């Protein structure tokens, strides 16, 4: 197997991110992420800012998690020739793993972007207290037993 440095092709940021994702992702999904992160898609990976590329990868994982969990594949046949591509289905475990991976990158490089945390709040009740006045302001009679 040839090393990356021996291959004649320039390994770009776009190639790197698409190779890291284990599912088929439309390339058009990357361009808004690259614009937001101010990354040029065709920049050689060796010349790029590693932190920005990792954040773009986390953004792509977030894009996958927030999108549909099932994408259908397409297939074409013609005179004995068959071609099929695309399609994946994310299980709840896949979504959890992708969210953990994206959040690990966000926690390290951009803590404000961590997503998917469940927020909880606690409410303490002092019980029900009887009222001494009605809505108009008249005193209410209390029955003492």
């Amino acid at each position: 197997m040839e090393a990356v440095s021996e291959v004649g092709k320039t390994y770009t940021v776009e190639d790197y991110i698409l190779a890291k994702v284990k599912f088929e992702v439309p390339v058009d999904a990357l361009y808004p992420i690259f614009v937001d992160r101010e990354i040029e898609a065709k920049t050689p990976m060796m010349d790029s800012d590693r932190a920005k590329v990792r954040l773009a990868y986390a953004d792509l994982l977030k894009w996958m998690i927030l999108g549909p969990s099932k994408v259908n594949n397409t297939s074409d046949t013609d005179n004995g020739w068959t071609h099929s591509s695309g399609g994946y289905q994310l299980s709840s475990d896949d979504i959890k793993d992708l969210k953990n991976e994206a959040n690990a990158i966000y926690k390290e490089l951009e803590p404000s972007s961590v997503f998917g945390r469940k927020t909880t709040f606690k409410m303490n009740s002092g019980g029900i207290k009887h009222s001494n006045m009605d809505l108009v302001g008249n005193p209410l009679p209390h029955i003492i037993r």
Side-chain angles (χ1 to χ4, degrees):
M1 182 173 172
E2 295 180 65
V4 175
S5 61
E6 296 172 1
V7 177
K9 181 182 179 233
T10 302
Y11 195 60
T12 64
V13 172
E14 180 180 353
D15 296 333
Y16 174 80
I17 290 179
L18 287 174
K20 281 194 64 101
V21 177
K22 296 173 184 82
F23 301 98
E24 188 172 321
V25 176
V27 178
D28 291 342
L30 288 176
Y31 294 123
I33 294 170
F34 288 156
V35 169
D36 290 345
R37 294 287 175 190
E38 298 174 353
I39 298 173
E40 181 63 41
K42 301 301 179 192
T43 302
M45 190 57 199
M46 298 303 164
D47 299 338
S48 65
D49 180 2
R50 287 281 212 214
K52 281 186 177 183
V53 173
R54 289 184 63 212
L55 286 168
Y57 172 63
D59 290 344
L60 183 61
L61 295 178
K62 185 177 183 179
W63 176 86
M64 291 179 68
I65 293 165
L66 296 177
S69 61
K70 182 176 182 181
V71 176
N72 293 329
N73 63 345
T74 58
S75 61
D76 300 323
T77 58
D78 184 28
N79 241 0
W81 170 84
T82 303
H83 169 75
S84 63
S85 68
Y88 60 84
Q89 183 169 357
L90 297 175
S91 69
S92 60
D93 289 337
D94 292 334
I95 291 171
K96 183 177 140 189
D97 291 341
L98 292 173
K99 188 183 293 185
N100 289 341
E101 187 172 354
N103 279 339
I105 294 169
Y106 286 139
K107 281 179 189 173
E108 180 185 340
L109 300 173
E110 193 175 82
S112 63
S113 295
V114 173
F115 73 103
R117 281 189 266 161
K118 292 183 180 178
T119 58
T120 60
F121 64 92
K122 216 177 212 184
M123 182 186 294
N124 293 324
S125 173
I128 299 173
K129 188 174 181 181
H130 69 276
S131 176
N132 293 326
M133 302 284 200
D134 66 5
L135 295 175
V136 183
N138 300 323
L140 294 173
H142 294 290
I143 300 173
I144 301 173
R145 293 184 187 183

